[in-house]
Amino acid sequence: MIQKCIFCGKEYHIDDIIYTCRCGGLLEIVYDYEEIKDKVSKESLRKREIGVWRYLEYLPVENLEKIVSLQEGGTPLYRCKNLGEELGLKELYVKNEGANPTGSFKDRGMTVGVTKAEELGIDVVGCASTGNTSASLAAYSARAGKKCIVLLPGGKVALGKLAQAMFYGAKVVQIRGNFDEALEMVRKLAEDGKLYLLNSINPFRLEGQKTIGFEICDQLNWKVPDRIIVPVGNAGNISAIWKGFKEFKETGIIEDLPKMTGIQAEGAKPIVDAFKRNSRSIVPVENPETIATAIRIGNPVNYPKALDAIYSSGGYAESVSDREITEAQKLLARKEGIFVEPASAASIAGLMKLLEMGIIDKDERIVCVTTGNGLKDPDAAIRASERPIEIECDMEILKSIIEKI
Ligand SMILES: *Cc1c(COP(=O)(O)O)cnc(C)c1O
Ligand SMILES: [Zn+2]
């Protein structure tokens, strides 16, 4: 097990705290896949409880006693017949990551990332966040007895996420700036050795997140979807999920790979722009803006990995408007009983748009990843809903109402 630069190929020891290669390239964790192949089988995996740690051999942890866990992963994969029918689709699923302990997929990354901090003997952890990373890191660092500092873009974090970060006891710092600026600042602190950085630039975090891909195969009885649709912000998750599928193929668990399809918001779509230019580099968006605050990111650090995932899987990248996001969020709640935050609904909105454009075939087996829980952003939900009716305690009025629903 080593850390390897995806750009120049330079290798680093698994315990080097570097985040990126000396050449500036992103790092990824590489395993001895022959060894994993010898150790695991579909049957042996199934003997363990579902969740991130079911896939232990694929995770960069040496000392199992150090694991910091809140029983993350094992989230439902819902077959969505109602929404599927509405859209004319044969086989639609939603992988609902909002069911994680702090309500987003970030928990999968944090269980591995904070465990790594524990193995390294580091006491102070930190991150920049649009909200969910801070909520998750605050929880896992509390569980591990570590100090935690989180930098947030002031005034742009959904209420539920802010409440979580504060309540788990993190030192919460709001900057008068956006996420990209917050990340730049906290990266400098990490370079000076002031804290262990747990943004998705940290390759250990992505190792936890790749288990979304493992679980989807597992829950589909080892069938592989034709397409995975993921909302894209800092672009770590789509990269991680792709790595998961590739590793399952490499170790003989599956034979096919899905088309990775990334969805961004119209006001924050540097990766979509790069894809439409058929380019491998992005032009950062200066002032990203969208209702989907979790993907309000103009300069995604993981873009090289994400573009590679999209290109090499034959996938696609598309953007959706805030209105399309809100409509999709409502539709998913009303057709399937699944309440997700706006960023998550971007995957559904993207699906609808790509169907209309003829990019997605109605016969495909499709999994949309809904990344965070709807309760994270109550303001967005209330703004998009009809007000409650207020009445006197009068049965006649109540009866007239029930007649009209
Ligand atoms: C973090 C997050 C995203 C974006 O994931 P990236 O790995 O940054 O692309 C999307 N949706 C939600 C709810 C998130 O919390
Ligand atoms: Zn390098």
Side-chain angles (χ1 to χ4, degrees):
M1 189 177 10
I2 49 156
Q3 303 185 79
K4 188 171 179 185
C5 174
I6 64 161
F7 188 66
C8 75
K10 187 172 168 56
E11 297 181 357
Y12 296 88
H13 189 273
I14 200 73
D15 287 336
D16 279 358
I17 304 171
I18 38 177
Y19 309 109
T20 50
C21 179
R22 246 163 259 143
C23 82
L26 297 170
L27 298 172
E28 69 176 0
I29 312 294
V30 178
Y31 302 80
D32 181 340
Y33 295 106
E34 284 305 312
E35 193 186 314
I36 297 179
K37 202 171 176 175
D38 288 342
K39 277 197 210 150
V40 304
S41 66
K42 292 172 195 169
E43 296 72 35
S44 72
L45 291 174
R46 283 278 172 87
K47 290 201 178 99
R48 303 179 190 146
E49 214 171 302
I50 193 161
V52 168
W53 297 100
R54 170 178 279 190
Y55 313 99
L56 192 56
E57 287 80 2
Y58 298 85
L59 295 173
V61 168
E62 278 149 316
N63 188 347
L64 301 187
E65 275 159 30
K66 301 269 186 196
I67 291 176
V68 181
S69 173
L70 287 163
Q71 297 183 27
E72 49 294 312
T75 58
L77 179 72
Y78 295 116
R79 177 82 195 263
C80 292
K81 284 200 172 146
N82 302 335
L83 184 57
E85 251 168 50
E86 173 101 1
L87 303 177
L89 288 170
K90 218 162 124 190
E91 211 178 333
L92 174 65
Y93 299 86
V94 160
K95 178 69 170 158
N96 191 25
E97 288 296 295
N100 274 295
T102 77
S104 83
F105 72 82
K106 301 299 196 304
D107 294 344
R108 293 179 187 268
M110 287 308 170
T111 185
V112 175
V114 174
T115 296
K116 187 66 197 176
E118 187 69 13
E119 279 192 336
L120 293 167
I122 297 172
D123 291 326
V124 186
V125 294
C127 67
S129 177
T130 59
N132 282 330
T133 300
S134 70
S136 184
L137 181 57
Y140 283 83
S141 58
R143 188 133 172 112
K146 298 191 186 306
K147 289 185 183 139
C148 174
I149 181 166
V150 303
L151 262 71
L152 305 175
K156 293 290 184 178
V157 174
L159 204 60
K161 307 175 188 184
L162 187 60
Q164 286 177 294
M166 289 161 59
F167 208 78
Y168 290 126
K171 176 60 74 184
V172 179
V173 181
Q174 304 208 22
I175 64 156
R176 297 191 185 100
N178 61 31
F179 168 84
D180 303 296
E181 291 164 310
L183 181 57
E184 217 178 288
M185 288 173 74
V186 79
R187 277 181 81 169
K188 284 189 187 131
L189 281 185
E191 273 164 32
D192 293 344
K194 303 279 189 216
L195 52 79
Y196 186 61
L197 183 64
L198 277 160
N199 279 98
S200 58
I201 188 97
N202 183 324
F204 290 92
R205 237 194 69 188
L206 298 188
E207 291 306 288
Q209 289 170 208
K210 77 185 176 188
T211 60
I212 294 174
F214 293 166
E215 265 178 29
I216 289 171
C217 300
D218 206 331
Q219 289 168 313
L220 287 174
N221 243 326
W222 314 113
K223 283 183 298 191
V224 178
D226 299 306
R227 187 179 300 271
I228 306 283
I229 309 182
V230 194
V232 172
N234 219 10
N237 209 30
I238 191 169
S239 315
I241 296 171
W242 175 237
K243 187 170 189 275
F245 279 107
K246 279 194 301 181
E247 289 181 349
F248 254 16
K249 185 169 182 215
E250 178 105 26
T251 51
I253 303 286
I254 57 172
E255 277 166 19
D256 304 312
L257 292 169
K259 294 182 167 77
M260 300 304 297
T261 303
I263 310 297
Q264 295 194 293
E266 254 173 33
K269 59 172 175 66
I271 290 179
V272 174
D273 290 339
F275 176 77
K276 302 254 158 141
R277 288 196 312 270
N278 199 17
S279 165
R280 292 246 170 199
S281 59
I282 60 161
V283 179
V285 171
E286 283 292 332
N287 296 301
E289 209 45 82
T290 166
I291 187 179
T293 50
I295 53 174
R296 184 176 168 268
I297 294 176
N299 190 14
V301 294
N302 286 299
Y303 78 84
K305 288 183 179 177
L307 282 167
D308 181 65
I310 291 165
Y311 288 130
S312 44
S313 69
Y316 206 83
E318 191 51 77
S319 64
V320 289
S321 69
D322 282 2
R323 231 194 72 211
E324 289 168 320
I325 287 172
T326 303
E327 287 306 309
Q329 185 191 14
K330 271 190 185 169
L331 193 64
L332 183 61
R334 287 157 196 214
K335 288 277 169 199
E336 300 290 352
I338 304 171
F339 181 25
V340 303
E341 64 168 286
S344 307
S347 62
I348 306 291
L351 165 65
M352 291 162 69
K353 187 159 175 182
L354 293 175
L355 274 168
E356 231 163 70
M357 289 166 66
I359 304 286
I360 292 181
D361 197 280
K362 302 215 174 212
D363 289 336
E364 292 181 24
R365 180 183 299 137
I366 298 169
V367 177
C368 289
V369 181
T370 55
T371 42
N373 196 299
L375 292 171
K376 293 276 194 175
D377 196 345
D379 294 326
I382 288 170
R383 259 185 276 123
S385 305
E386 216 180 287
R387 304 270 123 195
I389 307 165
E390 204 177 312
I391 61 165
E392 298 300 327
C393 301
D394 181 325
M395 282 311 294
E396 289 313 310
I397 302 177
L398 187 57
K399 280 180 193 160
S400 75
I401 292 169
I402 192 128
E403 264 147 37
K404 277 182 262 161
I405 64 168

